[in-house]
Amino acid sequence: MVATLDDLIAVAHAHGLNVRAERAKLDETGADFLVAHVVDAEDVPWVVRSPRRADVLERAEAERRVLDLVRARLPVAVPDWRVFAPEIIAYSRLGGHPAAVVDLEAGGYVWRFDETAPPQAFTDTLGDALAALHRIPEDEAAGAGVRVKRSDEIRAAFGERMEGAREVLDVPEVVWRRWQEWIADDTYWPEHSVLVHGDLHPAHVLVDDGQRVTGLLDWTEAHIGDPATDFAILYATMGAGPLGALLKRYEAAGGRTWPRMRAHIVETWAAYPSVIAEFARLSGEDAPRQLGQMLVNATAQEMAG
């Protein structure tokens, strides 16, 4: 079992990576992987990860298939796993910087630019990247073993999460009605499915010094499903104005839209506390429950004001 930085370095060496132990830095924040940032003898930076549990490895295999599928089809970079084994995953670190990083002391994301008025270079390159991703033929993605989530299945899953959310959250009636109206109204929902990244928050979006998107990280949650999935967290962190600009570029770049797509993205985010509540119920942890309650309360306040 890989449990320490020394263990991780030793496994990397065993797989032929000549990484320098004295410059290795451990990142223990991930729930699924033990991660180290290292450099090799030629000063090339690498990311080395070790699964914390057996079930993580199965999902990692699915992520590897996604990366192999999208790598040559996107205008931005994705990780290239040079080593993939039960105890270790390793890839050379992509260039660029996260568009934002999580800072708990600051109470959320710290961006490299004003997220409420992002540079056009960021909006354009992100819209282009998402359009390219979502245009990958569904049959090719399914043939590569990517998980498929149909619209009716997604709606049913949200309904189950919403019911479960009331076990751990205080959900005001006005928010509950909003959730139920959304999943019941066909006009919100797309009639098509696409390959989505699945966890597209700003820390997974890499940019260069000109704020152009250069790479996308962490494809663990990739699947064939609702296109809104890749916009919801961006909407939550950036706001309605940037979302509108992003969707305009997305459509111009060949992304398929529908009349209520923007409204559907907004409602997807409004229902996100039910997703967090599910994690709270399954894990028994209080931190996600508190976050879910905070988001529910914020939605209720917004509707009241």
Side-chain angles (χ1 to χ4, degrees), residues 222-239:
H223 62 275
I224 299 166
D226 187 345
T229 305
D230 281 344
F231 294 92
I233 297 178
L234 293 171
Y235 158 71
T237 55
M238 300 173 69

Side-chain angles (χ1 to χ4, degrees), residues 14-269:
H15 282 271
L17 294 179
N18 189 15
V19 299
R20 301 166 62 177
E22 72 276 9
R23 293 180 60 184
K25 295 182 179 179
L26 190 64
D27 180 353
E28 299 183 88
T29 59
D32 294 333
F33 291 93
L34 185 72
V35 179
H37 298 275
V38 301
V39 295
D40 63 20
E42 287 73 42
D43 279 340
V44 175
W46 287 74
V47 178
V48 181
R49 304 193 297 174
S50 181
R52 293 185 184 273
R53 305 179 309 279
D55 66 291
V56 175
L57 188 61
E58 181 178 347
R59 289 189 287 121
E61 169 59 32
E63 182 178 4
R64 184 186 65 80
R65 292 195 298 268
V66 170
L67 291 172
D68 289 345
L69 174 68
V70 306
R71 183 171 296 110
R73 297 170 180 261
L74 301 184
V76 299
V78 301
D80 184 4
W81 290 3
R82 305 290 183 85
V83 178
F84 178 68
E87 68 276 16
I88 186 175
I89 296 168
Y91 56 91
S92 55
R93 195 175 70 203
L94 300 183
H97 315 276
V101 295
V102 177
D103 188 327
L104 297 180
E105 293 185 1
Y109 289 106
V110 176
W111 288 75
R112 295 182 63 84
F113 48 81
D114 179 1
E115 72 277 15
T116 65
Q120 185 171 346
F122 176 79
T123 300
D124 288 352
T125 50
L126 182 56
D128 291 349
L130 286 175
L133 172 62
H134 292 181
R135 288 198 312 269
I136 293 175
E138 180 182 335
D139 59 345
E140 291 188 27
V146 179
R147 293 173 296 159
V148 179
K149 298 182 181 180
R150 297 300 180 196
S151 182
D152 57 344
E153 297 171 338
I154 295 170
R155 292 166 78 169
F158 264 112
E160 293 173 2
R161 291 191 194 102
M162 290 168 181
E163 292 288 351
R166 295 205 288 188
E167 298 178 15
V168 294
L169 303 179
D170 176 16
V171 182
E173 184 61 26
V174 65
V175 174
W176 178 256
R177 286 198 306 270
R178 178 174 178 174
W179 287 357
Q180 298 305 303
E181 289 170 1
W182 170 59
I183 60 172
D185 189 339
D186 292 343
T187 66
Y188 280 114
W189 294 82
E191 297 180 352
H192 65 287
S193 299
V194 299
L195 174 59
V196 296
H197 177 280
D199 190 20
L200 199 64
H201 65 79
H204 291 160
V205 179
L206 298 177
V207 297
D208 62 16
D209 290 339
Q211 313 312 336
R212 293 178 293 268
V213 176
T214 60
L216 299 176
L217 299 176
D218 198 341
W219 292 75
T220 307
E221 300 301 323
H223 62 275
I224 299 166
D226 187 345
T229 305
D230 281 344
F231 294 92
I233 297 178
L234 293 171
Y235 158 71
T237 55
M238 300 173 69
L243 173 64
L246 180 60
L247 287 175
K248 184 177 180 180
R249 178 68 181 204
Y250 171 80
E251 184 174 27
R256 183 178 174 185
T257 62
W258 65 98
R260 301 197 76 181
M261 183 176 184
R262 187 186 307 197
H264 179 56
I265 292 167
V266 172
E267 296 309 310
T268 299
W269 175 250

